[in-house]
Amino acid sequence: MIKAVRGTRDLLPPDTALWNFVESAVRGVFRTYNFQEIRTPIFESTELFARGVGEETDVVSKEMYTWFDNRGPRQEFDEALPKVGRAAARMIKGSGTDEDRPEVARPASTMEGRGDSLTLRPENTAGVVRAYIEHKLWDRGLNKLYYIGPQFRRERPQKGRYRQFYQIGAEVIGPASAGSESPARDAEVLEMLATLLDRLGITGWNLELNSVGCPSDRAKFNEALRLALQPVVGKMCTDCQRRAVTNPLRVFDCKVPEDQPIIETLPRISQFLDEPCRTHFEAVKGILKSVGVEFRENDRLVRGLDYYTRTAFEFTHGALGAQNAILGGGRYDGLSEALGGPAAPGIGFAIGEDRLVMSLKETAEGVLRKPDVYVAPLGAGMNSEAARLARELRRHDLVVDLGDETFRLKKSFEAATKAGAKYILIVGENEVKADAFALKNLESGQQVSIPRAELARKIQAAG
Ligand code: HAM
């Protein structure tokens, strides 16, 4: 049997109804904050992520699905097919087993004879900023964009962590003259998130907030970290030993329990913020307090991607277990320039939709709309009559399930009950002649004969 690839999954009904509920609720909230949708490709040049997200991050150095795209896909497929196993896994990068980790994606977008290096997007901020630059979106002033779609990371799968997962994200980006740098934008985005979670009925979330400063603060911070790490780094994991040399700030991404007491003793970015960054952070917090959005300062929070400046945040939720970050985001004032664009301060976030749906599950019942009525044709020739009736009822926005004339009455009742329908409507020869139909309430067992013209109103009235 061919199964879904490890770390990917099928989303099936009734869960898909929850996903749709979430997506339409967030679209509604985005609309009231004047955000508009952007759709970017799900694969991009590898270089975009290497330059945008940062080569030292776990995402870029370990987790990207990257391949070279020089030959026709058919030829590559034909060659790979007979060699299923390690050799083929190595050819098609990223499809190997856990021991057979793919090579680190290199920033060079083209290697001699191997064509373009492409990558399935592991996140969407870099793609949105690329589109901002490519389409000169600064002409529109402040851009408030949102997206909903799949992302791909080759992480070890576990509850709440997948290799294909879905993000609902938003980015506010534009020239500083359009107000993109203002702390008012940070606070507005955070307040929108609080509204969004409340609207979905998610309670018990915590907003963790920090400022990671600007590049000059970080240079000083990295230097201080390097010094502080020197005497202790030998006792830390190999990843931290590498980070201590290349990008010490990334030591805060470490999840190894034995390293945590050492990390606790390290300097914090909050000690290195310059005056403008400090003032910006105070202003964000001030607005949040005045609009009543609660937060907790966490000066260990540095986020796993290199582009962040100033405000950085995560919303966590207790019910999620180890993977408790329901969403994360922050400011990225230098990203556009790092990608060759003009100065364009920005701030955004991405919600892990898989995790959001997980935290909603308990309250899910009300979201699922069961059929209002099951239309049961009874006897030969009744399919067309039943189809006509179903069409009329659906025009009244009723949810209608339709049976088949070959079903005996008992089977129709079973199907209607299984679908969770409120009513069953019998369409037999006598009913058609009388133009009045037997409507039975499946819960109370009460059955009445209702003229065709009154059917929709009667079913709607049951609410
Ligand atoms: P991120 O923190 O890497 O940020 O991801 C955002 C959220 O995506 C996480 O909080 C989590 O809920 C979800 N997520 C990440 N990886 C997985 C996974 N393997 N399985 C399930 N869910 C996952 C970003 O991606 C930034 N682009 C956010 C941003 C937008 N910053 C500024 N603008």
Side-chain angles (χ1 to χ4, degrees):
M1 183 179 35
I2 300 174
K3 289 190 172 167
V5 173
R6 192 165 127 83
T8 71
R9 63 204 179 119
D10 303 306
L11 302 173
L12 304 173
D15 284 2
T16 39
L18 260 183
W19 285 71
N20 282 321
F21 163 72
V22 164
E23 288 170 16
S24 62
V26 301
R27 282 179 200 277
V29 173
F30 283 139
R31 205 172 307 123
T32 62
Y33 287 77
N34 197 25
F35 277 73
Q36 290 178 306
E37 186 172 9
I38 182 168
R39 300 189 188 197
T40 60
I42 61 164
F43 61 91
E44 301 263 5
S45 296
T46 304
E47 189 182 359
L48 174 68
F49 303 112
R51 275 168 58 182
V53 175
E55 282 194 78
E56 248 330 291
T57 59
D58 282 354
V59 169
V60 172
S61 67
K62 303 181 188 167
E63 297 168 0
M64 297 206 303
Y65 287 97
T66 294
W67 70 99
F68 288 99
D69 202 43
N70 60 334
R71 296 171 301 169
R74 182 68 228 178
Q75 187 184 346
E76 193 155 298
F77 179 73
D78 287 343
E79 285 179 24
L81 202 55
K83 303 181 199 162
V84 178
R86 292 177 72 86
R90 247 177 268 115
M91 272 185 62
I92 307 167
K93 283 197 176 182
S95 64
T97 61
D98 269 335
E99 307 82 65
D100 187 24
R101 298 199 71 86
E103 282 169 36
V104 173
R106 286 291 140 215
S109 64
T110 307
M111 284 172 85
E112 199 56 45
R114 299 181 79 181
D116 296 332
S117 177
L118 304 180
T119 291
L120 286 181
R121 64 183 186 193
E123 62 98 55
N124 210 21
T125 308
V128 169
V129 177
R130 180 207 40 75
Y132 173 85
I133 299 167
E134 190 169 333
H135 304 288
K136 301 189 171 53
L137 296 184
W138 51 86
D139 285 344
R140 307 177 183 197
L142 192 67
N143 291 263
K144 294 161 80 172
L145 304 167
Y146 79 88
Y147 48 84
I148 300 177
Q151 319 291 333
F152 305 85
R153 295 185 193 175
R154 196 169 185 282
E155 295 190 84
R156 194 173 292 278
Q158 64 178 77
K159 182 172 175 243
R161 190 160 78 194
Y162 309 98
R163 290 180 168 182
Q164 174 171 337
F165 60 100
Y166 295 81
Q167 283 186 343
I168 299 172
E171 314 293 349
V172 180
I173 181 169
S177 59
S180 57
E181 218 169 1
S182 164
R185 298 287 72 75
D186 308 44
E188 186 182 19
V189 159
L190 289 164
E191 188 273 323
M192 175 171 79
L193 281 165
T195 300
L196 207 153
L197 295 179
D198 289 345
R199 187 78 55 92
L200 289 170
I202 295 177
T203 51
W205 49 263
N206 294 302
L207 162 56
E208 311 222 354
L209 195 60
N210 195 18
S211 173
V212 295
C214 50
S216 64
D217 302 337
R218 269 217 301 287
K220 281 182 242 151
F221 178 47
N222 267 329
E223 218 24 67
L225 277 178
R226 230 175 237 125
L227 275 178
L229 281 165
Q230 249 165 26
V232 287
V233 74
K235 296 183 215 138
M236 299 180 82
C237 68
T238 48
D239 273 348
C240 280
Q241 297 189 9
R242 195 193 67 245
R243 291 164 176 148
V245 180
T246 53
N247 190 353
L249 179 131
R250 296 267 69 98
V251 164
F252 286 94
D253 296 339
C254 177
K255 300 276 177 329
V256 176
E258 295 76 30
D259 288 0
Q260 300 311 309
I262 300 177
I263 294 169
E264 272 306 306
T265 66
L266 296 174
R268 300 298 161 90
I269 183 72
S270 53
Q271 302 162 260
F272 297 86
L273 297 185
D274 63 14
E275 209 36 53
C277 288
R278 206 177 289 278
T279 310
H280 192 276
F281 193 35
E282 289 307 316
V284 175
K285 289 187 286 185
I287 305 174
L288 286 180
K289 279 181 194 148
S290 69
V291 294
V293 173
E294 284 181 25
F295 59 88
R296 194 173 73 85
E297 277 186 67
N298 174 2
D299 63 3
R300 254 200 77 159
L301 182 77
V302 295
R303 308 273 299 125
L305 314 166
D306 273 352
Y307 48 62
Y308 289 112
T309 53
R310 295 189 166 173
T311 311
F313 57 85
E314 273 177 12
F315 282 64
T316 56
H317 194 278
L320 289 175
Q323 302 302 317
N324 68 350
I326 202 165
L327 69 94
R331 199 162 255 295
Y332 43 85
D333 291 345
L335 180 55
S336 170
E337 284 146 298
L339 295 176
I347 179 162
F349 63 84
I351 303 172
E353 194 176 355
D354 306 75
R355 295 182 193 176
L356 188 69
V357 170
M358 256 165 70
S359 62
L360 258 183
K361 274 242 166 105
E362 302 90 68
T363 51
E365 266 302 293
V367 171
L368 307 176
R369 193 163 167 205
K370 300 264 174 67
D372 295 300
V373 59
Y374 183 96
V375 177
L378 192 64
M382 286 300 116
N383 269 348
S384 1
E385 288 296 340
R388 226 153 60 82
L389 254 178
R391 186 167 155 88
E392 281 168 31
L393 295 174
R394 285 170 180 146
R395 284 205 182 117
H396 287 86
D397 201 32
L398 289 167
V399 180
V400 179
D401 236 355
L402 186 55
D404 188 83
E405 65 187 26
T406 63
F407 290 4
R408 287 177 188 282
L409 198 54
K410 184 166 175 276
K411 186 165 171 180
S412 290
F413 268 90
E414 280 166 4
T417 309
K418 198 165 176 189
K422 250 177 258 150
Y423 286 102
I424 186 164
L425 181 70
I426 315 291
V427 184
E429 218 168 304
N430 294 340
E431 281 84 359
V432 171
K433 262 193 216 127
D435 211 26
F437 299 83
L439 183 69
K440 183 165 185 164
N441 183 321
L442 285 167
E443 222 171 76
S444 66
Q446 194 193 37
Q447 182 168 327
V448 277
S449 175
I450 310 280
R452 176 190 293 266
E454 287 166 33
L455 272 172
R457 201 154 21 94
K458 169 77 183 164
I459 296 168
Q460 270 162 345

